[in-house]
Amino acid sequence: MSTASSPVRYLLHDGELIDYADARLHVLSTSMKYGVGVFEGFRAYWSEEEGELYAFRVQDHMRRLLDSMRVVEIEGPTDIDELTEQLLGLVRANDLRSNLHMRAQVFVDSADGKPDDTGPSTVYMAAIPMGNYFGATGLDVQISSWARLSDRAMPPRVKSIANYQNGRLALLEARRNGYGAALLLTENGHVAEGAGYNVFMVRQGRLCTPPSTESILEGITRDSVIQLAQKELGLEIDIRPIDRTELYSADEIFVCGSAAEVNHVKSVDRTPIGDGSQPGEITAQLQGLYQQAVRGQLDSFRDWVIPVYGTAR
Ligand SMILES: Cc1ncc(COP(=O)(O)O)c(C=O)c1O
């Protein structure tokens, strides 16, 4: 791979800066042979007015990374603050001053790996410029014929690379059928989540989202939305199982995730949601609040962001 096409100069490998082109994982490692690995995806937002970059909820993502490692038994780093500093150092080394998507990935890189090897692990981090993931035009969503994987088989609570086969199948099916995104149901037929996002609906005036026991990744954006809705909008949230047909009769639906941000759903299985085009009132409010929160513009949620270059405040 040539560095000429690299989006950034450096990646981080076990805490050390390396050239983008020098990232390596052996084809016979446990990660490559058996899909063993966990990761995090986070965002940072550039504020033009302040000339500052804000990294969003990095420690919470690092905590989830360590939780994932614990569940699937991968040895490796244990210090959230050290991992956080490493990631921020990488951003500074690349002198990135735009909206970013960042990743921390932990692989098991044992030679001629066995499926139950737990180490040695290797940690890679990346920070790459990224704008809107979906664009801001809203999503036409298909309910997938694939079921969401379950805690009894492949725990969705773990952000494991292997889990993404499930979402990939749903997304490929949705694209083949002319949709932009997919939502998956649990084996019991309840609404779980999408390929890379959690879901909320507004129905009969109530904001609702599935509980963390309904085969979902416990999204950090989901938690941010819940807190923003409660504290900034004074809403109560119904965290409860959701049936498929409730989506068809919802007033508003949105998906959310670090990459997806807060993105409204225009239709489900071709059934229009709201006016079938624009975000509903609560969705639009939450979209606005989220965009403020990630840039450190909400005083009550200022501790969610870290100013990367230390020029703000
Ligand atoms: C399957 C899945 N669900 C939900 C989310 C949203 O999680 P978060 O808001 O922590 O990015 C993601 C995004 O990483 C995901 O991959």
Side-chain angles (χ1 to χ4, degrees), residues 39-41 61 64 148 156 159 164 193-198 216-222 256-259:
F39 73 103
E40 276 302 317
H61 281 278
R64 190 171 64 185
R148 184 67 180 142
K159 202 164 165 67
Y164 283 77
E193 63 177 344
Y197 26 86
N198 294 114
I216 66 167
L217 181 76
E218 294 164 301
I220 289 161
T221 318
R222 171 183 177 274
C256 68
S258 299

Side-chain angles (χ1 to χ4, degrees), residues 115-295:
D116 57 344
D117 284 341
T118 59
S121 70
T122 184
V123 183
Y124 278 97
M125 295 193 202
I128 311 275
M130 182 165 116
N132 283 354
Y133 183 70
F134 280 129
T137 52
L139 297 168
D140 294 305
V141 167
Q142 179 183 38
I143 304 292
S144 186
S145 67
W146 297 97
R148 184 67 180 142
L149 37 79
S150 83
D151 199 60
R152 292 192 68 195
M154 296 265 285
R157 171 172 294 105
V158 174
K159 202 164 165 67
S160 144
I161 54 177
N163 283 2
Y164 283 77
Q165 296 310 309
N166 180 229
R168 182 171 186 272
L169 288 171
L171 198 54
L172 290 172
E173 178 189 46
R175 292 266 157 78
R176 214 165 32 242
N177 293 329
Y179 296 87
L183 287 175
L184 294 101
L185 306 179
T186 65
E187 289 285 2
N188 291 334
H190 292 151
V191 175
E193 63 177 344
Y197 26 86
N198 294 114
V199 61
F200 286 73
M201 71 170 182
V202 178
R203 185 163 185 263
Q204 297 168 353
R206 309 277 303 179
L207 183 60
C208 313
T209 196
S212 59
T213 46
E214 287 277 1
S215 292
I216 66 167
L217 181 76
E218 294 164 301
I220 289 161
T221 318
R222 171 183 177 274
D223 176 68
S224 305
V225 164
I226 289 171
Q227 292 198 48
L228 290 169
Q230 287 170 333
K231 294 182 192 149
E232 297 288 322
L233 301 181
L235 295 177
E236 282 175 34
I237 326 285
D238 291 345
I239 299 178
R240 63 162 179 83
I242 294 177
D243 277 338
R244 173 183 193 151
T245 48
E246 291 188 277
L247 294 183
Y248 299 145
S249 57
D251 304 314
E252 303 179 30
I253 300 176
F254 62 87
V255 297
C256 68
S258 299
E261 303 177 301
V262 179
N263 219 299
H264 72 285
V265 170
K266 293 188 294 188
S267 68
V268 177
D269 292 342
R270 307 269 180 244
T271 304
I273 304 302
D275 70 1
S277 125
Q278 297 304 312
E281 199 183 322
I282 292 176
T283 305
Q285 284 176 314
L286 287 168
Q287 283 173 325
L289 287 168
Y290 184 72
Q291 289 300 327
Q292 287 179 282
V294 295
R295 289 172 178 78

